[in-house]
């Protein structure tokens, strides 16, 4: 590594490795392990941030070479990395999160002191960061797969860090199994690519699609869509995500939802745009369709949750859907040879990838702080935390507004680009399939409105009104490092929202590499403060302008106060209780109650069941005891995965007969296999 | 193309002053149609002035969100109004956002309104928030699709650009795409402004209320901001319907005072026609049960889809 920005990337990788090793070595001294492990992770993130940022900002004029990290000791495997624009952008995301997450972890891991091995937590955290970074940079099939497996392993161990709970172990196993089913598909896909290129280097896979027959290209695409779709949490392959993300320690949940699932997005972009290229129409249609379905179903399932972290995990599915809407539109537009529009759609998807990483990490950190203070993930036992945890609640509110795509924050900017690309995509082809663009736009509108409803619930029930339990009543503000970690992410969200010109410039080399267009000049007016849709008079938006105007319009109420309300006083008094003896926390709306209208409207999907048992003495209107139970069905769990699991178990029970334990039988198997292979070879 | 401070100031004043009047006229006409005398059309101004002067009671359970929400609701509705052309194109703040920003700003206001409803720990507020967020979410796809239909024809999401393109020579009053999209938007207008058959603006302390339930704990000058903000939002949506679909009389910004006065007359006439339509719907219909409202809104979605399909058939 000779050139400056990339050599710093090497430093980042070594820092993660040193952090992992050091944390393990110092595991007996938990304070030292904590400080050293997460300190090195933060330092590595900082190095990665500077190097990837500088590389992207330089415009990456030359095609980057691949570099051997260390000599190959195993045949066929080369430990080569290549920091091209795509890799650098995703490297930027992981580094950008590494810093605030590590700072937060410094405080968060303290709650494990004396109870659990913090050294192991820090070491695995570093390993996860290392492996994710390597996944984005690897330039060789086997190296990629090694990093991919290291990532799955370290993540699944982290998921069951609190292994006494059945939930954690179950989540980890499910993640592990699903992840490996996906890896199997990836290996098959890579082998098919190898057959055509005769090499395992990613560099040699570039534009390989032209050499493959149409059916084989389709097969490769489907294999990768399945493999990477599992990691991304695409519906219906999402089943592991709500099981694994919430049970992990919150800093790890943030890393998983923020970056780990983005490795699936990275893989899809790498395969579709770099390896295969020239997509047929059905790829775009498939990705756009799956993205739309994931977005809507993800948010609908999120609405039914009252476990704060599970709710956030379902929102990751929704946001992956939104990202894939951008990617799918880009593929469709590339097919109809509109490179400019395809770049716009790709930018929308990538912008949302980064945005989601930031606000989802922020929300998970907020949820972690709440969990830390109240010892529960159940929203029905929270409430009133806005008064007790002022900073955390303000940070969470900002994250909630960003994920609900409210102007002027970053979620709004990326969804604005998505809408623009869908709108302009409608004119790109005369065929009937173009109806997909506006319909997907309408579903995106439904998704963001439902997301807003969901976050009104999440924020309102958790942080507002009266505390619903003793734990919530005694909640205290999180420690300084935990707040600092959240504050850094808040700053990133605000900057990405108000100054989108910065990121557009960094995305230039990426769209240039993949599609051959540089759009930042066309998309930003007035030095990046006003965004344009790229078309002449196609529409503009300025988030900074919106903020300034909102502040300026505050003049109206101020003038009104001065004119009319001079003598008016403000009194603090109890909420009107309709003549009862005071309001109790039980009278407030609950999370379950809040989502009831939607549960009824979409009852075909949720199949809600409820059970009410009531005991009374005189009249049924004056119950002495009341038991209420309400369930919704996770359709994919009950309709797809349960029958599938049952089939697999039945098959394995049957095939147990083969494994009788007698050597003679095994010898016959070997003989028959050999015979079959010989016949096959003939 | 840069924002003109004078235009911003004038349009802000227009929105501020006209919004309560439109609400007042609707109330008055509705009463007339029901054989009541009804409040005078300018009663709403007097109400607002009274609210502004009154003392305020804030719930002891409420946090800073409760006091923050009225400002957000009011300013976001006002800012959304500055992106819609009222008398002349372009609108004063076309540069800062178009149809998508307008939808976003209304969502921002609604988000804080719903939080403000939850904050004082009363059961009514939570009920209102839950229902309002649900109904607006169901209304959103129809709204977006209707906007997409006109935006596709105009090739722009900029509302001034959309108005200008519908204003051009090829504009027909009965263009099927526009008629269908208008119908869809009209249903959305009823839902978003809390009109019968979706919500009843005349009820307080009834278990059917949606919008009023969230305002229940607000009093004094915050209530004034909330009420005023809601009426501005109503005016903005009505202006959207009036000027995007029937751009008759809309002047260009360079026009002299004479053209602007003419444009003002046309604008008022269109608003009154829309208000009459709202009054008619409100008096001839009963309020729907909450779980029947999605049927109405999905009908709006179907109308918007048909509108989109017909852009393709009749272009």
């Amino acid at each position: 590594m000779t050139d400056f920005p990339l050599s710093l990337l090497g430093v980042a990788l070594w820092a993660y490795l040193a952090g992992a090793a050091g944390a393990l070595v110092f595991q007996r001294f938990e304070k030292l392990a904590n400080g050293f492990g997460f300190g090195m992770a933060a330092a590595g993130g900082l190095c990665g941030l500077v190097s990837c940022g500088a590389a992207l900002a330089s415009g990456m004029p030359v095609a980057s070479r691949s570099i051997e990290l260390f000599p190959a000791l195993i045949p066929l495997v080369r430990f080569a990395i290549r920091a091209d624009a795509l890799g650098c952008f995703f490297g930027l995301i992981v580094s950008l999160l590494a810093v605030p997450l590590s700072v937060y972890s410094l405080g968060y891991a303290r709650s494990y002191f004396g109870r659990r091995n913090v050294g192991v937590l820090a070491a695995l955290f570093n390993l996860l960061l290392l492996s994710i970074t390597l996944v984005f940079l690897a330039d060789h099939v086997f190296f990629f797969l090694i990093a991919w497996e290291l990532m799955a392993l370290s993540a699944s161990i982290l998921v069951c860090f609190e292994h006494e709970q059945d939930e954690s172990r179950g989540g980890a196993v499910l993640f592990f199994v699903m992840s490996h089913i996906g890896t199997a598909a990836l290996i098959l896909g890579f082998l098919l690519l190898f057959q055509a290129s005769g090499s395992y280097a990613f560099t040699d896979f570039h534009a390989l699609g032209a050499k493959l027959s149409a059916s084989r290209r389709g097969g490769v695409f489907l294999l990768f869509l399945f493999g990477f779709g599992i990691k991304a949490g695409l519906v219906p392959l999402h089943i592991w995500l709500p099981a694994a993300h919430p049970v992990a320690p919150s800093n790890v949940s943030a890393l998983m939802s923020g970056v780990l699932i983005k490795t699936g997005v990275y893989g899809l972009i790498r395969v579709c745009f770099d390896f295969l290229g020239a997509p047929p129409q059905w790829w775009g249609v498939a990705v756009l369709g799956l993205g739309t379905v994931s977005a809507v179903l993800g948010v609908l399932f999120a609405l039914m949750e009252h476990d704060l972290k599970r709710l956030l995990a379902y929102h990751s599915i929704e946001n992956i859907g939104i990202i894939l809407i951008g990617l799918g539109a880009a593929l469709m537009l590339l097919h109809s040879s509109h490179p400019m529009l395809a770049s716009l759609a790709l930018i929308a998807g990538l912008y949302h990838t980064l945005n989601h990483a930031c606000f989802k990490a922020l929300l998970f950190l907020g949820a972690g702080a709440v969990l830390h203070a109240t010892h529960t993930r159940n929203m029905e036992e929270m409430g009133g935390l806005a008064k007790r945890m002022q900073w955390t609640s303000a940070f969470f509110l900002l994250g909630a507004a960003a994920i609900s795509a409210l102007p002027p924050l970053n979620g709004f900017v990326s969804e604005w680009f998505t809408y623009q690309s869908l709108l302009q995509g409608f004119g790109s082809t005369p065929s009937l399939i173009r109806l997909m663009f506006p319909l997907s736009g309408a579903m995106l509108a439904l998704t963001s409105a439902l997301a807003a409803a969901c976050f009104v619930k999440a924020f309102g029930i958790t942080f507002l009104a009266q505390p619903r339990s003793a734990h919530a009543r005694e909640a205290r503000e999180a420690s300084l490092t935990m707040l600092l970690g959240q504050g850094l992410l808040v700053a990133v969200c605000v900057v990405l929202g108000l100054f989108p010109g910065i990121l557009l410039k960094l995305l230039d080399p990426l769209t240039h590499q993949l599609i051959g267009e540089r759009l930042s000049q066309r998309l930003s007016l007035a030095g990046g403060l006003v965004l344009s849709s790229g078309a002449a008079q196609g529409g503009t938006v300025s988030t900074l302008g919106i903020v300034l105007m909102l502040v300026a319009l505050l003049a109206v109420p101020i003038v009104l106060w001065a004119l009319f309300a001079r003598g008016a006083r403000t009194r603090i008094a109890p909420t009107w209780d309709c003549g009862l003896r005071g309001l109790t926390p039980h009278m407030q709306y609950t999370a379950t109650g809040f989502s009831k209208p939607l549960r009824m409207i979409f009852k075909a999907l949720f199949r809600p069941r409820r059970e009410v048992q009531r005991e009374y003495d005189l009249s049924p209107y004056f119950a002495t005891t009341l038991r209420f139970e309400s369930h919704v069905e996770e359709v994919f769990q009950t309709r797809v995965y349960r029958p599938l699991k049952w089939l697999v178990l039945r098959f394995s029970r049957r095939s147990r007969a083969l494994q009788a334990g007698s050597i003679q039988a095994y010898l016959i198997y070997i003989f028959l296999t050999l015979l079959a292979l010989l016949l096959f070879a003939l | 193309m840069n924002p003109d401070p004078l235009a911003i100031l004038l349009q802000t004043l227009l929105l501020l002053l006209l919004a309560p009047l439109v609400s007042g006229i609707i109330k008055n006409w509705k009463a007339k149609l029901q054989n009541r005398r009804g409040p005078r059309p300018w009663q709403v101004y007097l109400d607002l002035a009274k609210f502004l002067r009154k003392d305020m009671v804030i719930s002891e359970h409420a946090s800073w969100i409760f006091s923050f929400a009225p400002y957000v609701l009011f300013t976001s509705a006002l800012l959304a109004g500055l992106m819609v052309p009222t008398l002349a194109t372009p609108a004063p703040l076309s540069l800062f956002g178009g149809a998508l920003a307008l939808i976003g700003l209304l969502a921002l206001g609604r988000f804080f309104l719903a939080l403000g409803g939850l904050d004082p720990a009363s059961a009514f507020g939570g009920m209102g928030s839950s229902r309002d967020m649900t109904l607006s979410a169901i209304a959103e796809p129809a709204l977006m699709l209707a906007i997409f239909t006109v935006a596709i024809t105009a090739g722009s999401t900029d509302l001034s650009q959309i108005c200008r393109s519908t204003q051009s020579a090829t504009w027909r009053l009965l263009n099927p795409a526009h008629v269908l999209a208008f119908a869809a938007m009209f249903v959305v207008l009823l839902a978003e402004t809390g009109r019968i058959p979706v919500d009843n603006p005349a009820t307080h302390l009834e278990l059917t209320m949606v919008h009023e339930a969230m305002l229940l704990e607000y009093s004094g000058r915050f209530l004034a901001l909330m009420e005023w903000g809601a009426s501005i939002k109503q005016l903005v949506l009505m202006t959207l319907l009036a000027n995007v679909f029937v751009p008759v009389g809309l002047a260009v910004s360079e026009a002299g005072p004479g053209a602007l006065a003419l444009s003002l007359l046309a604008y008022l006439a269109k608003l009154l026609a829309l208000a009459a339509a709202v009054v008619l719907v409100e008096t001839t219909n009963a309020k729907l049960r909450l779980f029947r409202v999605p049927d109405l809104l999905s009908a709006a979605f179907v109308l918007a889809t048909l509108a989109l399909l017909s852009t393709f058939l009749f272009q």
Side-chain angles (χ1 to χ4, degrees):
Chain A
M1 296 206 187
T2 45
D3 32 353
F4 153 72
L6 293 181
S7 58
L8 202 57
L9 196 56
V11 176
L13 296 176
W14 287 112
Y16 293 143
L17 200 60
L24 278 185
V25 170
F26 301 134
Q27 56 177 303
R28 304 219 158 212
F29 315 98
E30 29 191 28
K31 276 190 184 155
L32 185 61
N34 184 21
F36 183 79
F38 290 116
M40 285 310 266
L46 214 54
C47 290
L49 186 63
V50 171
S51 82
C52 290
L56 285 173
S58 74
M60 307 196 104
V62 283
S64 45
R65 299 160 293 115
S66 76
I67 305 149
E68 300 258 346
L69 272 187
F70 39 89
L73 304 172
I74 319 167
L76 282 182
V77 181
R78 280 178 58 234
F79 295 99
I81 64 167
R82 182 172 59 125
D84 61 349
L86 181 61
C88 270
F89 177 70
F90 279 88
L92 182 79
I93 297 181
V94 61
S95 317
L96 189 61
L97 283 200
V99 182
L101 291 187
S102 309
V103 172
Y104 177 90
S105 304
L106 283 173
Y108 187 76
R110 275 171 198 279
S111 63
Y112 292 123
F113 279 3
R115 292 197 296 131
R116 243 167 249 286
N117 194 331
V118 175
V120 170
L121 178 68
L124 285 169
F125 188 80
N126 271 299
L127 265 189
L128 188 56
L129 281 172
L130 176 71
S131 54
I132 293 175
T133 316
L134 284 179
V135 162
F136 293 145
L137 298 176
D139 192 34
H140 192 267
V141 169
F142 289 107
F143 189 33
F144 176 86
L145 288 173
I146 290 171
W148 186 262
E149 280 304 288
L150 187 64
M151 177 175 87
L153 264 176
S154 46
S156 52
I157 301 174
L158 280 169
V159 167
C160 61
F161 188 66
E162 292 171 37
H163 56 85
E164 292 85 355
Q165 291 152 9
D166 288 341
E167 224 189 342
S168 302
R169 292 198 304 272
V173 168
L174 187 59
F175 170 57
F176 196 71
V177 170
M178 289 298 281
S179 179
H180 279 89
I181 295 172
T183 311
L186 293 189
I187 292 176
L188 270 180
F190 279 129
L191 286 178
L192 282 175
L193 287 179
F194 167 73
Q195 228 177 15
S197 79
S199 146
Y200 284 113
F202 276 8
T203 342
D204 297 330
F205 287 169
H206 177 65
L208 199 61
K211 289 189 199 163
L212 295 168
S213 68
S215 58
R216 184 159 292 204
R217 272 174 68 200
V220 170
F221 169 74
L222 282 180
L223 281 170
F224 281 114
L225 182 64
F226 179 77
F228 287 125
I230 286 186
K231 197 61 103 195
L234 200 60
V235 170
L237 307 170
H238 66 284
I239 199 88
W240 64 272
L241 208 148
H245 285 209
V247 291
S250 297
N251 49 351
V252 177
S253 312
L255 191 57
M256 287 178 75
S257 261
V259 207
L260 188 132
I261 58 172
K262 305 293 161 46
T263 56
V265 175
Y266 162 80
L268 271 181
I269 296 179
R270 175 67 82 194
V271 168
C272 293
F273 290 89
D274 185 5
F275 293 173
L276 296 176
Q281 193 169 43
W282 66 270
W283 293 8
V285 173
V287 174
L288 184 62
L290 281 173
T292 311
V293 170
S294 297
V296 174
L297 289 184
V299 72
L300 280 175
F301 284 127
L303 270 158
M304 293 305 120
E305 278 304 328
H306 44 78
D307 174 331
L308 189 55
K309 285 178 75 177
R310 265 177 83 89
L311 179 147
L312 293 177
Y314 272 118
H315 272 288
S316 295
I317 299 171
E318 173 221 329
N319 280 283
I320 286 289
I322 297 175
I323 293 167
L324 288 195
I325 288 177
L327 289 192
L331 285 172
M332 282 175 81
L333 291 164
L334 207 57
H335 168 78
S336 53
S337 25
H338 287 83
M340 204 82 86
L341 292 180
S343 312
L344 177 66
L346 186 64
I347 287 175
L350 290 170
Y351 206 128
H352 200 74
T353 308
L354 176 57
N355 284 344
H356 175 247
C358 297
F359 51 62
K360 184 47 68 63
L362 170 61
L363 290 167
F364 263 118
L365 296 191
V370 168
L371 174 66
H372 187 78
T374 61
H375 307 286
T376 175
R377 299 202 309 259
N378 186 358
M379 282 158 53
E380 314 283 28
E381 292 173 29
M382 298 174 188
L385 298 179
K387 286 182 172 173
R388 292 161 180 82
M389 306 173 72
Q390 284 183 341
W391 287 103
T392 305
S393 69
F395 292 155
F396 195 93
L397 179 65
L398 192 122
I403 198 173
S404 312
L406 297 179
L409 293 165
N410 53 353
F412 172 74
V413 175
S414 47
E415 289 198 14
W416 190 82
F417 278 126
T418 313
Y419 284 123
Q420 290 294 352
S421 63
L422 291 174
L423 200 65
Q424 295 179 44
F426 187 76
S428 67
T429 160
S431 73
L432 201 65
I433 204 77
R434 64 177 173 171
L435 275 180
M436 282 206 56
F437 290 111
L439 287 180
S440 164
M443 288 304 113
L444 182 57
L446 175 67
T447 305
S448 39
L450 287 174
C454 192
F455 276 95
V456 165
K457 171 181 113 170
F459 184 81
I461 304 294
T462 309
F463 290 98
L464 300 182
Q466 290 193 64
R468 293 176 174 78
S469 67
H471 279 311
R473 211 168 302 126
E474 286 148 19
R476 292 231 310 274
E477 184 59 289
S479 66
L480 198 64
T481 45
M482 283 166 80
L483 289 179
L484 186 62
Q486 298 175 56
L488 285 173
L489 283 170
V490 164
V492 176
C493 283
V494 170
V495 168
L496 283 174
L498 298 189
F499 306 100
I502 302 173
L503 187 70
L504 287 181
K505 206 161 273 166
L506 294 187
L507 282 172
D508 260 351
L510 216 164
T511 47
H512 182 70
Q513 182 198 340
L514 298 177
I515 301 178
E517 296 283 343
R518 288 175 192 271
L519 279 192
S520 69
Q521 294 291 337
R522 289 174 68 98
L523 294 184
S524 48
L525 309 171
L529 300 179
V530 178
L531 294 179
S532 150
S533 68
Q537 296 174 327
T540 49
V541 76
S542 167
T543 39
L544 188 68
I546 287 177
V547 174
L548 293 178
M549 275 314 293
L550 283 177
V551 174
L553 286 173
L554 278 180
V556 177
I558 290 172
V559 169
L560 288 176
W561 294 177
L563 286 180
F564 292 94
R566 224 174 269 203
R569 282 161 306 155
T570 305
R571 211 150 48 81
I572 308 287
T575 300
W576 168 238
D577 53 14
C578 300
L580 297 171
R581 277 166 294 172
L583 286 181
T584 69
H586 298 295
M587 296 174 188
Q588 301 174 107
Y589 240 53
T590 58
T592 316
F594 192 91
S595 50
K596 166 123 192 198
L598 283 163
R599 192 157 57 240
M600 300 300 290
I601 290 168
F602 294 96
K603 63 172 179 266
L605 173 70
F606 296 126
R607 301 171 183 281
R609 275 186 303 120
R610 64 176 198 171
E611 233 174 87
V612 183
Q613 286 179 356
R614 185 185 280 146
E615 283 172 25
Y616 53 87
D617 294 332
L618 294 169
S619 144
Y621 298 109
F622 297 98
T624 49
T625 61
L626 183 72
R627 218 179 118 265
F628 177 84
E629 239 179 81
S630 158
H631 299 277
V632 290
E633 194 176 291
E634 227 277 24
V635 189
F636 293 99
Q637 190 99 309
T638 50
R639 297 290 154 110
V640 183
Y641 285 90
R642 201 173 292 162
L644 205 66
K645 193 171 100 183
W646 184 76
L647 265 179
V648 169
L649 282 180
R650 209 169 72 146
F651 177 74
S652 7
R653 219 169 292 137
R654 286 279 165 84
S655 57
R656 213 172 350 180
L658 285 175
Q659 213 177 0
S662 84
I663 292 212
Q664 287 92 328
Y666 291 161
L667 284 174
I668 286 181
Y669 298 154
I670 293 171
F671 176 69
L672 287 178
T673 315
L674 267 179
L675 210 62
L677 284 175
L678 275 174
L679 283 175
F680 182 72
L682 281 175
Chain B
M1 191 69 189
N2 278 331
D4 172 11
L6 185 69
I8 295 175
L9 196 68
L10 286 179
Q11 182 143 339
T12 311
L13 284 176
L14 181 71
L15 290 167
L16 279 175
L17 294 179
L18 201 55
L21 186 66
V22 173
S23 299
I25 287 177
I26 291 180
K27 264 185 200 162
N28 181 272
W29 285 1
K30 210 166 110 181
K32 292 260 162 62
L33 218 57
Q34 295 165 349
N35 285 331
R36 292 184 286 122
R37 210 162 64 197
R40 291 157 298 177
W42 55 88
Q43 180 64 42
V44 185
Y45 295 111
L46 304 178
D47 288 348
L48 286 176
K50 179 164 249 175
F51 290 151
L52 280 170
R53 269 196 295 267
K54 282 228 168 205
D55 285 357
M56 206 160 44
V57 185
I58 290 185
S59 163
E60 62 188 6
H61 304 302
S63 65
W64 61 275
I65 302 282
F66 185 80
S67 317
F68 189 63
Y71 295 103
V72 178
L73 181 85
F74 185 78
T75 52
S76 65
L78 209 48
L79 181 54
L82 291 174
M83 294 173 178
V84 191
T86 47
L87 302 184
T89 56
L93 283 183
S94 263
L95 182 67
F96 285 0
L100 299 173
L102 181 133
I103 294 179
L105 283 169
L106 294 184
L108 178 70
R110 189 188 309 126
F111 187 81
F112 277 92
L113 174 64
L115 288 181
L118 277 169
D119 208 11
S122 114
F124 289 115
M127 186 181 75
S129 303
S130 155
R131 290 177 179 177
D132 193 48
M133 293 312 285
T134 304
L135 295 181
S136 61
I138 308 288
E140 200 84 351
L143 176 63
M144 190 54 92
L145 214 50
I147 284 191
F148 257 55
T149 308
V150 286
I152 281 170
T153 333
S156 173
T157 53
D158 182 344
L159 288 165
S160 310
Q161 205 63 37
I162 292 175
C163 287
R164 230 178 267 156
S165 87
T166 44
Q167 226 174 353
S168 66
T170 53
W171 179 74
R172 303 269 180 285
L173 182 65
L174 292 179
N175 178 348
H178 278 170
V179 172
L180 289 165
F182 180 86
M185 288 271 276
F186 187 73
V187 177
V188 173
L189 170 78
L190 294 177
E192 286 280 332
T193 53
R195 295 278 162 197
I196 291 176
V198 177
D199 183 13
N200 188 352
T203 55
H204 279 281
L205 275 179
E206 273 186 30
L207 289 176
T208 55
M209 62 188 165
V210 181
H211 182 256
E212 297 301 322
M214 292 184 284
L215 303 189
L216 222 48
E217 293 305 319
Y218 280 101
S219 57
R221 52 183 191 271
F222 282 169
L223 182 63
L225 274 196
M226 287 288 202
E227 296 275 13
W228 208 338
S231 68
I232 291 172
K233 176 181 162 187
Q234 170 180 282
L235 179 65
V236 169
L237 286 171
M238 286 171 83
T239 310
L240 197 64
L241 275 168
N243 281 348
V244 166
F245 293 100
V246 194
V248 181
L250 205 55
V252 285
S253 59
E254 294 84 28
L260 280 181
L262 211 63
S263 164
L264 179 64
L265 279 181
Y267 176 56
L268 289 178
K270 283 183 279 184
L271 285 183
L272 290 181
L274 263 176
V278 169
V279 167
L280 254 157
V281 171
E282 281 214 276
T283 26
T284 50
N285 283 282
K287 191 188 165 307
L288 286 174
R289 267 182 63 212
L290 184 66
F291 292 113
R292 308 298 303 180
V293 174
D295 298 347
L296 177 72
L297 293 173
S298 37
F301 182 71
V302 171
L303 284 174
T305 316
L306 288 177
L308 189 73
L309 278 172
S310 56
T311 52
F312 209 169
L313 293 175
F314 296 98
Q315 70 188 357

